[in-house]
Amino acid sequence: AAGREVRKFGGDAKYISCLALSPDGQTLASGGRDKLITLWNIQTGQSRVLGKCDGFVYCLAFSPDGKQLASGDNVQDPLRGAIRLWSIETGKSQFLLGSHFVCAVIFTADGKRLISGGTASIPERNDVGGVIYVWDAQTGRTLDRKTLEHMNVVRSLALSPDGSKIACGLSNSPPILLDLLDGNILRPFSVSPSSDVRSENIAFAPNGRHLATGSWGDQAVRIWDITTGQYWVLGYSSASVQSVAFSPSGDTLAVGDNSNEIRLWQVSA
């Protein structure tokens, strides 16, 4: 069946780069080039500005209880990044965390920790490693920092359904899988040295056994088995893949790309 547009939100925002839906499904958060974070009521379309960041808003994530919103914003000259924790009720920024270039933020399942991914330098440079930080979501204290040598930028993060693992999508490499308990790399998915496999966008399947990645380079959509480390190509998009998302059942994958199209792919292991 053809998709039907049910609501269009506003029109004043400039270049919306990230969205996050609240756990109760009633509020949509948006951020972008205008440095504003806006909250939209899904039912009425009404909006309010939660706050303004210093730079381009790259990423957003709601806490599991829906009371907080994490944002990552960046200013390139001079380079600095910030992670902010916003109170949905008051609109106040509760903490200002970190200084690396931020590309992704995600809460752990219990809401006690916030994980951020990015790079310690300018993302366009290929001589730097990606960085992953783990923060205490209540105090803002750094709990762990991991540098991924020669893997460039951590572009996206995905939490496993059981909350025990974090998958990282990388700009010049296959994905990696981290154990949230000890921070160790569980699996650096291996590929042929001659292949140019990238994984800028990533999503965990509801079954917890598979990952989907989308590439900016060869425009491939891949499904990875986290047990064997093997992958298969689900298909190719017509432009650089910008986002991937599984349906709740896991049998459909939505893929958005730079051709301004969204494709739905049937997934079968």
Side-chain angles (χ1 to χ4, degrees), residues 4-179:
R4 181 174 64 90
E5 182 178 299
V6 296
R7 186 172 297 281
K8 184 176 181 180
F9 296 98
D12 296 330
K14 299 178 180 178
Y15 192 105
I16 293 176
S17 59
C18 52
L19 298 170
L21 188 64
S22 63
D24 64 5
Q26 299 302 306
T27 303
L28 183 69
S30 67
R33 195 182 298 277
D34 60 6
K35 307 177 185 179
L36 298 177
I37 298 174
T38 304
L39 300 180
W40 306 83
N41 184 298
I42 291 292
Q43 300 301 321
T44 67
Q46 292 182 325
S47 67
R48 68 179 174 96
V49 173
L50 182 67
K52 187 173 184 178
C53 298
D54 293 335
F56 191 125
V57 184
Y58 268 61
C59 48
L60 297 169
F62 274 98
S63 61
D65 62 8
K67 294 181 179 180
Q68 291 179 303
L69 182 74
S71 67
D73 68 276
N74 300 288
V75 176
Q76 291 207 29
D77 189 19
L79 176 72
R80 65 183 189 275
I83 301 168
R84 307 171 199 271
L85 281 172
W86 302 86
S87 167
I88 297 298
E89 182 179 359
T90 66
K92 293 182 178 180
S93 180
Q94 297 170 288
F95 300 104
L96 183 64
L97 311 174
S99 59
H100 67 294
F101 200 98
V102 188
C103 295
V105 289
I106 192 170
F107 282 92
T108 55
D110 59 9
K112 294 181 179 180
R113 289 171 291 172
L114 179 71
I115 299 166
S116 64
T119 178
S121 186
I122 299 173
E124 284 69 25
R125 290 179 53 186
N126 293 322
D127 60 344
V128 296
V131 291
I132 298 170
Y133 279 86
V134 181
W135 313 89
D136 187 309
Q138 299 304 313
T139 67
R141 184 169 62 93
T142 303
L143 300 177
D144 193 13
R145 180 185 188 275
K146 185 174 291 294
T147 300
L148 309 177
E149 299 295 342
H150 311 302
M151 289 186 180
N152 205 337
V153 185
V154 179
R155 289 286 183 182
S156 56
L157 298 168
L159 183 68
S160 64
D162 65 4
S164 67
K165 297 177 281 293
I166 285 282
C168 306
L170 307 173
S171 60
N172 279 329
S173 304
I176 61 170
L177 202 59
L178 295 178
D179 188 327

Side-chain angles (χ1 to χ4, degrees), residues 193-211:
S194 61
S195 62
D196 181 24
V197 176
R198 299 162 63 173
S199 57
E200 286 90 349
N201 304 282
I202 199 162
F204 245 111
N207 64 16
R209 300 193 305 272
H210 298 106
L211 294 170

Side-chain angles (χ1 to χ4, degrees), residues 151 173-177 185-195 197 222 224-232:
M151 289 186 180
S173 304
I176 61 170
L177 202 59
I185 295 178
L186 292 172
R187 179 174 292 281
F189 299 92
S190 299
V191 297
S192 168
S194 61
S195 62
V197 176
R222 294 177 171 88
W224 303 77
D225 187 312
I226 70 170
T227 302
T228 66
Q230 302 299 309
Y231 75 85
W232 68 91

